[in-house]
Amino acid sequence: MAKRRAHWLVKSEPDAFSWDQQVARGVEPWTGVRNHMAKNHLKAMRVGDLAFFYHSNIGKEVVGVVEVVREAYPDPTAEEGDWVCVDMRAVGPMPKPVTLAEIKATAALAELALVRMSRLSVMPVSGAHWTRICRMGGWTG
DNA sequence: GCCAACGTTGGC
DNA sequence: GCCAACGTTGGC
């Protein structure tokens, strides 16, 4: 049976860590998650899964796609608690970044966690939502 | 700068 | 174990 990839969305404030930095570094640990729901999503990620890279606060748009290259391991930036991080690799930029405003204006995306749970920083994206956002952003990868 | 959502903390 | 107070995130 073929392995089925899951899809995700991860948020970063570009002030702290931007898409350009992700691209410049290639592979980078995704650290700093301090929310249990988000942590559980990180733990569920498998090598080869793809994720949208979303800029929160500034931009408020999906700017690129990253791939999980190392599954959950202890977050070295956590001083206490069993927080985890994964390693992400930049796959490519969205030809046309998909803004939060566009997502909110799309009825088919009303159930997206980005809309429903605005504070969650790591979330799953259904196959249908993934395809839809890729189409909106001109992503053909 | 304000506010809503929501997680965490601490008193009881 | 409940709940009010408080802090943080993130959109506007």
Side-chain angles (χ1 to χ4, degrees), chain A residues 8-88:
Chain A
W8 310 92
L9 183 148
V10 293
K11 288 186 189 176
S12 185
E13 293 188 34
D15 274 355
F17 183 64
S18 70
W19 170 252
D20 285 347
Q21 287 172 282
Q22 174 76 56
V23 169
R25 302 195 197 171
V27 172
E28 183 74 6
W30 195 272
T31 57
V33 169
R34 298 293 182 271
N35 169 282
H36 292 288
M37 209 179 306
K39 179 188 78 175
N40 288 337
H41 293 320
L42 285 179
K43 285 183 167 180
M45 289 183 182
R46 295 295 170 252
V47 168
D49 284 359
L50 298 176
F52 289 130
F53 191 116
Y54 174 83
H55 275 168
S56 62
N57 266 312
I58 301 168
K60 284 170 286 180
E61 55 191 7
V62 174
V63 289
V65 172
V66 290
E67 177 186 7
V68 178
V69 294
R70 182 180 171 189
E71 293 173 13
Y73 61 98
D75 182 343
T77 71
E79 297 189 348
E80 56 178 27
D82 64 334
W83 301 108
V84 300
C85 61
V86 299
D87 286 357
M88 296 288 203

Side-chain angles (χ1 to χ4, degrees), chain A residues 23 51 55 100 103 117 121 141:
Chain A
V23 169
H55 275 168
L100 179 62
I103 288 170
M117 304 185 67
S121 61

